[in-house]
Amino acid sequence: MEEEFEESHRTVPKPKGMADPEARRWEYLRYILYRPGPWVPEEATQGTEAVKFLERMKVLVIGAGGLGCEILKNLALSGFKDIHVIDMDTIDVSNLNRQFLFRQADVGKYKAEVAAKFVMNRVKGVSIEAYCGKIQDKDESYYKQFNIIVCGLDSVEARRWINATLVDMVDLEDGDSIKPLVDGGTEGFKGQTRVIIPSFTACIECQLELNAPRAAVPLCTLATIPRQPQHCIEWAHIIAWEEERKGDTLDTDDPEHITWLYQKAAKRAAEFNITGVTYSMTQGVVKNIIPAIASTNAIIAASCCNEAFKIATAMNPSLGAPAEGENNYMMYSGDDGVYTYTYSYEKKEDCPVCGITAKKIEVDGEMYLRNFMDLLAEMPDAQLKKPTIRTEGQSLYYQAPASLEEATRHNLSKKLSELLSSGDEVAVSDPAYTIDFRFQLIFK
Amino acid sequence: MLKLWSMKQEQQKADNATSGPKKKKVTAAQLRVQKDLSELSLGSTMKTTFPNPDDILNFVLTIEPDEGMYKGGRFSFNFAINQNFPHDPPKVKCKEKIYHPNIDLEGNVCLNILREDWKPVLNLNAVIVGLQFLFLEPNASDPLNKDAAEDLKSNREGFKRNVRAAMGGGSVRGESFERVLK
């Protein structure tokens, strides 16, 4: 046993000139990639090949904020060489305590750009391409180029968007269309890491119920009996702004707008003998800022990058790994002591994003919508007697409510080719079923 | 990564799902609203209007109460639903300027399930039932229009008269209201 270990240990090439910090940086990475391990599948490549494979991996990091900074640094130091990063935000002075890739002089600049430059400067040989904008600006052709996507986001909406996009991209005839998504999230002392393998594991939409609703105070409390400084700020935000600055769109990044709200809130607080309204509290309430804890971000980002590394190298089973078919979610809580729990979040059969794959059906473009609906009723695997049907942009026919039925009735006597083009997808609901159906219509 | 490929091919055999040129998909929010709309029970006192029938995320709900203090009125509410539905509640605003303890002069509505008690398991029907209830049982303990709430608390008969006057387009306490009688 001793002997064997010695043998395999010797196969790890020692970098020349151990005094060189650049070479020493990768020493431990080599220990992992050059040695066989009990969890390494036989077909996995090792040694130099594995290093090359890792270097060729194209990783997209979404978000260059609290988690994003950590993720970018970790990925670069784990041997990934081809990294891309998207973030639409600019740097605020309040980010500097934990978003360590940014300096005072960077305030106002784009996060993605500054973060990319910083990491490229510190870790030689890594290329990071920044895109400063929204994830929604990009389409499938962009997301297609990546092998792994790592998210450090703070919004449910953005997560749902990227999730739906990646699930939609899955083409079962093309293995490369499946993009593993590693999603990290933190809130105060709590956090989570989950891995989504689109079409295999539960997707983000399946897990939507995990998101706690935003804590809100009843509107009437705000309007009549505020008790806390935050109530006064919410009042200024929701009621006073609407009343006095109608038509002006509130920009939470505009200091003038925040100042206006702050002054309104302070005045109201004084009327009710409430103390404690400050400018930064106003900013916090209006932008719904949850205090971020640097160490929670570090822990979650480390876990995310660990998963990304395992997915890329197969040196150990990752969360969501199909071979395991089990755990895909790791929750972390640092509220009371330190606790983690890893479990399997199950896929929802009726998930509106990953639960229903569009069924391709061939139809005659000359067919009237009315007859197509009869066809849906006759199809043995559909049997939809009262279908409501739409495309992404168009309501084709609604059974209810009455006004929509009336507004869409004229479509019944239109030909399919007048309403849509071949390859369009329609979603069909029927009161007899709790799940919805998707069909892709191909004209004969 | 490595094992995905073979796994997937196995699944493919079991699944006769398809591929092809990708087109825009109906979004999760649209799908959920579509389902909710099909389950609305509007009865005879409510109806919906869709300014753009292709856009089911934005519509107007009209309520014509057939009993209670607001009987004979016609009230309309703008529903604006975003792509984050049902995580986010629908945004609902009364279009008319009305005299009601739980609706302010801007049309903001104080209904718990529209804000602090919203949950993704609730549906549009729950919201419209809640709105309808506001006209049957205006609630003085959750005031958004403080004056109206005080009137309701201190003098129910006087409040009723004020409601009639306001619905007819008159003034109450120096504030003029929109005529909402049918």
Side-chain angles (χ1 to χ4, degrees):
Chain A
M1 225 31 224
E2 271 306 291
E3 291 270 319
E4 267 180 49
F5 179 76
E6 281 296 317
E7 187 71 13
S8 64
H9 188 263
R10 236 176 279 127
T11 60
V12 178
K14 287 272 177 200
K16 279 174 212 151
M18 288 295 282
D20 176 13
E22 270 302 317
R24 237 170 46 204
R25 175 174 272 168
W26 309 111
E27 189 183 346
Y28 293 97
L29 183 67
R30 284 164 184 274
Y31 286 153
I32 299 171
L33 295 179
Y34 280 78
R35 278 176 178 168
W39 295 101
V40 182
E42 275 174 32
E43 65 269 32
T45 47
Q46 291 209 317
T48 331
E49 276 306 305
V51 174
K52 277 188 188 150
F53 191 70
L54 182 63
E55 289 177 354
R56 277 201 309 272
M57 280 278 148
K58 209 168 189 174
V59 188
L60 174 67
V61 177
I62 303 182
L67 275 171
C69 281
E70 294 273 359
I71 291 171
L72 286 168
K73 173 259 291 171
N74 292 351
L75 289 179
L77 292 175
S78 305
F80 288 94
K81 295 272 186 263
D82 190 358
I83 305 172
H84 289 234
V85 57
I86 299 193
D87 197 305
M88 60 185 282
D89 271 349
T90 53
I91 297 160
D92 187 83
V93 73
S94 66
N95 301 147
L96 300 181
N97 71 329
R98 61 189 186 287
Q99 299 178 21
F100 52 84
L101 304 178
F102 312 139
R103 298 289 175 268
Q104 188 99 42
D106 299 322
V107 170
K109 293 184 195 160
Y110 280 108
K111 287 184 176 178
E113 212 165 81
V114 176
K117 263 191 203 145
F118 193 107
V119 175
M120 279 197 286
N121 198 30
R122 284 288 288 269
V123 185
K124 291 213 178 78
V126 67
S127 140
I128 306 184
E129 200 175 309
Y131 174 72
C132 307
K134 298 168 84 168
I135 52 171
Q136 289 89 346
D137 296 348
K138 302 289 191 181
D139 59 9
E140 284 191 11
S141 59
Y142 174 81
Y143 292 107
K144 227 177 176 162
Q145 61 178 310
F146 302 105
N147 301 106
I148 302 174
I149 292 163
V150 186
C151 280
L153 284 163
D154 59 358
S155 107
V156 175
E157 203 174 346
R159 281 192 178 88
R160 286 178 77 185
W161 189 88
I162 188 68
N163 176 62
T165 304
L166 296 181
V167 171
D168 201 20
M169 274 163 61
V170 173
D171 174 354
L172 291 170
E173 282 156 35
D174 173 13
D176 293 337
S177 71
I178 297 170
K179 311 292 181 190
L181 171 67
V182 182
D183 177 56
T186 69
E187 193 171 294
F189 284 104
K190 293 198 188 83
Q192 106 267 328
T193 300
R194 49 186 165 177
V195 174
I196 285 109
I197 315 276
S199 90
F200 285 91
T201 65
C203 76
I204 285 180
E205 198 77 19
C206 295
Q207 307 179 21
L208 198 61
E209 64 210 17
L210 289 179
N211 296 294
R214 183 182 291 194
V217 179
L219 212 51
C220 32
T221 303
L222 302 180
T224 51
I225 37 156
R227 299 182 307 275
Q228 293 171 7
Q230 288 86 349
H231 296 170
C232 301
I233 297 166
E234 272 287 89
W235 170 84
H237 177 204
I238 295 173
I239 297 173
W241 182 275
E242 275 286 293
E243 266 173 27
E244 296 173 41
R245 299 188 66 163
K246 213 174 216 159
D248 240 356
T249 319
L250 181 69
D251 176 4
T252 53
D253 288 324
D254 185 336
E256 189 270 320
H257 288 185
I258 298 290
T259 306
W260 189 91
L261 294 176
Y262 163 58
Q263 284 164 350
K264 278 279 158 193
K267 205 171 150 213
R268 184 166 174 86
E271 284 168 26
F272 287 89
N273 289 318
I274 295 168
T275 52
V277 175
T278 60
Y279 182 87
S280 67
M281 183 193 273
T282 309
Q283 213 177 14
V285 170
V286 171
K287 296 178 80 171
N288 191 33
I289 296 175
I290 296 147
I293 313 270
S295 48
T296 312
N297 282 341
I299 291 165
I300 294 302
S303 155
C304 286
C305 296
N306 195 19
E307 293 308 322
F309 182 81
K310 290 190 285 184
I311 293 169
T313 62
M315 292 296 126
N316 225 348
S318 70
L319 286 180
E324 298 308 296
E326 284 170 355
N327 298 342
N328 52 21
Y329 194 108
M330 191 279 291
M331 58 147 282
Y332 162 79
S333 170
D335 275 331
D336 304 294
V338 171
Y339 178 66
T340 69
Y341 182 60
T342 306
Y343 64 98
S344 166
Y345 200 107
E346 287 192 21
K347 206 171 152 151
K348 276 210 173 75
E349 275 184 34
D350 59 350
C351 170
V353 170
C354 75
I356 18 173
T357 13
K359 189 160 266 168
K360 200 192 295 191
I361 42 177
E362 277 200 2
V363 289
D364 182 359
E366 295 298 296
M367 183 190 260
Y368 294 104
L369 181 62
R370 182 192 308 280
N371 302 114
F372 174 66
M373 290 182 37
D374 293 340
L375 186 74
L376 289 177
E378 288 161 15
M379 274 167 58
D381 49 350
Q383 300 198 26
L384 300 160
K385 308 285 186 217
K386 285 190 76 181
T388 279
I389 175 166
R390 73 166 299 114
T391 63
E392 193 267 335
Q394 223 183 341
S395 301
L396 296 179
Y397 184 70
Y398 275 74
Q399 303 272 355
S403 61
L404 260 189
E405 195 280 330
E406 203 177 315
T408 54
R409 197 185 301 151
H410 67 279
N411 285 339
L412 289 177
S413 43
K414 279 189 186 160
K415 289 176 182 165
L416 291 181
S417 56
E418 293 175 74
L419 294 164
L420 28 91
S421 43
S422 187
D424 275 354
E425 193 177 298
V426 296
V428 184
S429 323
D430 189 291
Y433 294 91
T434 52
I435 58 162
D436 302 281
F437 297 80
R438 291 179 192 270
F439 297 102
Q440 194 186 15
L441 304 186
I442 313 287
F443 292 166
K444 281 178 198 164
Chain B
M1 202 75 195
L2 294 159
K3 283 205 169 166
L4 275 176
W5 178 237
S6 52
M7 287 289 296
K8 181 194 66 261
Q9 295 210 317
E10 276 166 37
Q11 194 193 14
Q12 194 189 338
K13 280 174 209 152
D15 217 0
N16 74 339
T18 57
S19 63
K22 287 284 164 60
K23 291 285 174 69
K24 271 199 163 177
K25 282 182 100 167
V26 175
T27 65
Q30 282 178 317
L31 215 51
R32 172 60 192 270
V33 171
Q34 173 158 311
K35 181 172 264 351
D36 281 11
L37 287 176
S38 69
E39 289 167 358
L40 286 187
S41 47
L42 295 168
S44 58
T45 59
M46 290 184 285
K47 69 172 205 283
T48 55
T49 323
F50 291 79
N52 171 8
D54 288 333
D55 175 11
I56 55 169
L57 301 185
N58 291 285
F59 60 92
V60 178
L61 173 79
T62 312
I63 304 181
E64 299 178 356
D66 60 356
E67 55 182 311
M69 290 183 263
Y70 290 88
K71 184 178 171 178
R74 176 186 285 148
F75 308 94
S76 44
F77 293 87
N78 263 327
F79 275 66
I81 300 167
N82 65 26
Q83 288 294 350
N84 216 13
F85 184 81
H87 182 67
D88 287 354
K91 280 204 166 67
V92 177
K93 268 195 137 184
C94 183
K95 289 177 76 178
E96 295 88 16
K97 182 177 172 187
I98 66 169
Y99 173 79
H100 191 293
N102 312 112
I103 299 175
D104 72 11
L105 304 177
E106 298 295 314
N108 295 309
V109 184
C110 188
L111 180 63
N112 64 337
I113 55 168
L114 281 178
R115 219 176 125 75
E116 68 275 13
D117 292 330
W118 172 257
K119 292 175 187 68
V121 293
L122 292 171
N123 59 12
L124 291 177
N125 208 52
V127 173
I128 67 161
V129 168
L131 290 175
Q132 198 180 25
F133 190 69
L134 284 183
F135 289 105
L136 299 176
E137 290 289 337
N139 176 358
S141 52
D142 293 333
L144 207 50
N145 178 341
K146 223 173 167 179
D147 292 343
E150 271 169 26
D151 292 344
L152 175 60
K153 230 184 260 177
S154 60
N155 177 1
R156 201 175 165 88
E157 285 310 309
F159 175 78
K160 278 187 190 171
R161 281 196 296 278
N162 289 347
V163 169
R164 298 319 293 180
M167 290 205 315
S171 302
V172 177
R173 293 195 183 206
E175 193 75 58
S176 58
F177 291 91
E178 259 178 89
R179 187 185 154 85
V180 290
L181 290 176
K182 282 197 267 184

